[in-house]
Amino acid sequence: MAPVQQDEEAGEPESTVPRPATSRIDDLASVLADAGSLGIVCHDNPDPDSIASALALELLAEAWGVPETEIVYGGSITHQQNRAFVNLLDLDLTHLDDTDLDGFDCIAFVDHSIPGVNNSVPASTGVDVVIDHHDFPEPPDAEYVDVRDRCGATASILVGYLTQSDVPISEPVASALLFALHRERLDYVRHPTAEEYQAALTVFRQADVPLVEEMYGSAFTPAMLDAIGEAIRSRTVRGSSLVATVGRTSESGAIPQAADYLLNLEGITTVLVFGLVDETVRLSARSIDSRVDIADALRASFADVGQVGGHGDMAGGQIPLGLFADHGEDDPDLLAFADRRVRHRFFDAMHLDGDDG
């Protein structure tokens, strides 16, 4: 079966949830029809958009008679709101280390597309279904592909699937989707599309809104607060761009949180925050400058040494410590060396020279 092309419904009115064409629903149902088991894989260190999209696909698959489904993720869940999201919804997620992907009849990726890119899945793994809103240079290799980079969230796509299929959206799944839509786009009003607003309105009716509000009330851990504080202290400004580090941390969720926070600094329109997590340099970038495609900026800076991707306004990536091969992991100078290299590469790609601010 040929992959389904992206944005087939681009001519629909902008005020509607992105409802997949009937043929698209039929094609997805056909791929899942004979599957005795479905492994739904989130990207590493999954955010609410990835997890909620997985829950929605699981609901759809179960309604279509798939007897066994399992939601799998790699990395860790450290962001305090993401932990609250998982705990309050009592989600049953399986770590990639604790399952065998080869044991599933069908494998689906949600909110990411390529094995080995933003996930710990072996690059040789066959993927049957890809549903995503991120654009990658190379097209996904899967039997069913629905990639819509004009959507602000993968959750919007899945809400359209559930609506088109007339599958009732349960309260936990609706709550997850509502939280995901807000955390991915609507809370920041960062280039949301009409689909996010309409999708949020659709699931709001079934969601447990007080529970969603409770997810926002989760507390920072001391380590998270220390990491964000280090990013504030270490900031370097050139023009309207800022680069900062959280240092070495076990709280990878602090990196995107620090990027969001520092984007509020007066005069700053582009932010890159990085940190050392285990044996990897993690990157998170944001931009509200219409002249900057931050995903392209990260690719220009680090694509030759790591994995990067995202959108024009929000992107991220990771660099293995192999980039800093002349320093051992425990070398006290490693962080300083990584700091210099990351800042230099990014500012050079942004064509920003001059004194640090």
Side-chain angles (χ1 to χ4, degrees):
M1 181 185 302
V4 178
Q5 299 301 311
Q6 61 184 14
D7 294 331
E8 287 181 355
E9 72 285 14
E12 293 181 358
E14 290 188 352
S15 60
T16 62
V17 175
R19 295 166 64 92
T22 302
S23 61
R24 180 173 279 175
I25 287 289
D26 291 342
D27 286 340
L28 178 58
S30 176
V31 172
L32 299 180
D34 297 325
S37 60
L38 171 65
I40 305 172
V41 184
C42 302
H43 57 66
D44 279 5
N45 313 306
D47 59 4
D49 189 31
S50 187
I51 297 172
S53 298
L55 290 170
L57 181 58
E58 180 180 53
L59 185 66
L60 193 64
E62 290 174 346
W64 286 346
V66 177
E68 180 186 343
T69 60
E70 188 172 335
I71 297 176
V72 181
Y73 74 97
S76 58
I77 301 174
T78 60
H79 190 301
Q80 78 280 1
Q81 288 182 347
N82 295 355
R83 288 198 297 261
F85 172 81
V86 171
N87 293 334
L88 290 172
L89 290 172
D90 194 23
L91 301 182
D92 184 16
L93 310 179
T94 302
H95 197 275
L96 191 61
D97 292 341
D98 299 324
T99 193
D100 178 13
L101 292 183
D102 292 335
F104 293 105
D105 295 335
C106 186
I107 295 177
F109 277 11
V110 287
D111 203 35
H112 60 135
S113 299
I114 311 295
V117 178
N118 200 24
N119 58 68
S120 301
V121 177
S124 60
T125 301
V127 180
D128 303 282
V129 173
V130 169
I131 303 173
D132 192 9
H133 75 122
H134 299 95
D135 182 30
F136 284 95
E138 64 273 25
D141 181 14
E143 187 173 1
Y144 179 89
V145 176
D146 186 357
V147 176
R148 309 183 211 177
D149 58 358
R150 69 179 181 83
C151 279
T154 302
S156 298
I157 301 172
L158 268 299
V159 171
Y161 273 74
L162 291 169
T163 303
Q164 182 71 24
S165 303
D166 294 322
V167 173
I169 305 176
S170 66
E171 183 179 274
V173 173
S175 302
L177 289 165
L178 181 62
F179 185 68
L181 289 161
H182 274 276
R183 289 296 302 161
E184 186 76 2
R185 288 286 155 176
L186 300 183
D187 285 353
Y188 307 103
V189 197
R190 186 169 48 220
H191 299 296
T193 68
E195 284 84 355
E196 278 68 68
Y197 288 105
Q198 188 60 43
L201 179 61
T202 297
V203 297
F204 178 85
R205 301 181 180 94
Q206 286 81 35
D208 182 342
V209 176
L211 184 67
V212 174
E213 292 174 347
E214 192 174 347
M215 295 175 195
Y216 280 96
S218 54
F220 284 113
T221 65
M224 182 83 70
L225 199 61
D226 288 344
I228 294 175
E230 176 61 19
I232 295 171
R233 186 201 64 78
S234 69
R235 68 190 186 275
T236 298
V237 175
R238 291 186 183 175
S240 60
S241 295
L242 180 152
V243 177
T245 180
V246 302
R248 185 182 290 279
T249 182
S250 61
E251 299 280 1
S252 60
I255 299 172
Q257 284 188 284
D260 288 327
Y261 186 81
L262 289 169
L263 194 59
N264 293 309
L265 186 63
E266 184 177 8
I268 296 300
T269 59
T270 300
V271 169
L272 169 66
V273 176
F274 65 96
L276 286 179
V277 181
D278 296 326
E279 299 180 1
T280 304
V281 178
R282 298 271 177 86
L283 309 163
S284 187
R286 306 285 187 265
S287 183
I288 54 174
D289 187 338
S290 61
R291 300 167 298 176
V292 174
D293 185 311
I294 195 62
D296 284 349
L298 285 195
R299 291 187 188 103
S301 304
F302 308 111
D304 62 324
V305 293
Q307 299 174 0
V308 293
H311 297 277
D313 61 331
M314 182 170 59
Q318 54 189 23
I319 306 170
L321 284 179
L323 172 63
F324 316 110
D326 52 348
H327 287 258
E329 182 183 351
D330 297 326
D331 189 322
D333 295 329
L334 173 61
L335 185 58
F337 179 71
D339 188 306
R340 291 193 301 271
R341 296 298 298 149
V342 170
R343 291 177 197 264
H344 173 76
R345 277 175 168 263
F346 183 72
F347 283 136
D348 186 60
M350 294 288 289
H351 306 291
L352 293 170
D353 296 315
D355 296 333
D356 296 342

